[in-house]
Amino acid sequence: MSDSPQYYCLLTDAGAALEAQALAEGKPIRLTHIGVGDGNGSVPTPDVSATALVHEVHRRAIDARTQSDDDPNIAILHATIPAEEGGWWIRELGVYAEALDEGEPVLYAYGNHRGRVYPWQGVRALSQPYTPAPQEYFPDARGNKVKIPGGLNLWRCD
């Protein structure tokens, strides 16, 4: 059995470049959205060179950010998928950031996910939105930890 996690996320090359640019220019990075995709029918392997999800099916604005009580270097990002959305599988996820030069959003982090269809029939009433619970984190270029909510064992980043 491998010590490597099956589901995990990575800071992308574009995310690392954005970190370097922000550090050089003294500007903050603004993480804005979490996207989910169906991977075109299979769970993708995260790659630092990714600039987009394999097949994005939904994107939501990050609706809350908190700081971990246990570690001040961990930011917890939260997005809620409404119950009326869905009818697709979640096999991949991405965290998007605003470009510093007002360009297109940057895929800051990319991860895979154990395949699940959303919404889950029989698990919750259709009128209830899905609010992911906090999961593991990924390191940014400054060594800070950014925690991504998932509630589905969305990904694990060491």
Side-chain angles (χ1 to χ4, degrees):
M1 187 165 126
S2 172
D3 289 338
S4 300
Q6 184 176 3
Y7 304 108
Y8 58 98
C9 69
L10 301 169
L11 178 68
T12 64
D13 288 341
L18 185 67
E19 285 277 341
Q21 180 185 2
L23 187 59
E25 296 178 12
K27 295 181 179 177
I29 290 179
R30 187 165 177 262
L31 303 177
T32 60
H33 290 79
I34 295 175
V36 295
D38 67 10
N40 271 342
S42 63
V43 176
T45 300
D47 186 332
V48 296
S49 66
T51 57
L53 276 62
V54 172
H55 185 237
E56 187 171 323
V57 295
H58 190 76
R59 191 180 296 194
R60 297 298 293 184
I62 295 170
D63 56 35
R65 294 167 180 81
T66 57
Q67 188 175 28
S68 170
D69 292 334
D70 299 327
D71 186 337
N73 292 321
I74 296 177
I76 301 170
L77 307 176
H78 182 273
T80 300
I81 301 172
E84 61 273 8
E85 302 288 336
W88 24 260
W89 285 82
I90 299 175
R91 296 184 180 102
E92 59 180 337
L93 299 108
V95 176
Y96 292 90
E98 279 184 356
L100 296 180
D101 58 7
E102 299 187 26
E104 292 295 313
V106 173
L107 181 63
Y108 183 79
Y110 178 63
N112 61 3
H113 173 288
R114 175 175 43 106
R116 283 277 175 101
V117 69
Y118 182 83
W120 297 272
Q121 297 297 324
V123 175
R124 54 184 48 83
L126 188 57
S127 63
Q128 295 176 329
Y130 171 62
T131 303
Q135 292 299 315
E136 296 299 318
Y137 59 85
F138 64 91
D140 69 13
R142 293 185 183 118
N144 294 320
K145 300 171 188 171
V146 179
K147 186 176 275 192
I148 306 298
L152 305 168
N153 297 323
L154 293 178
W155 56 57
R156 177 188 164 114
C157 303
D158 295 328

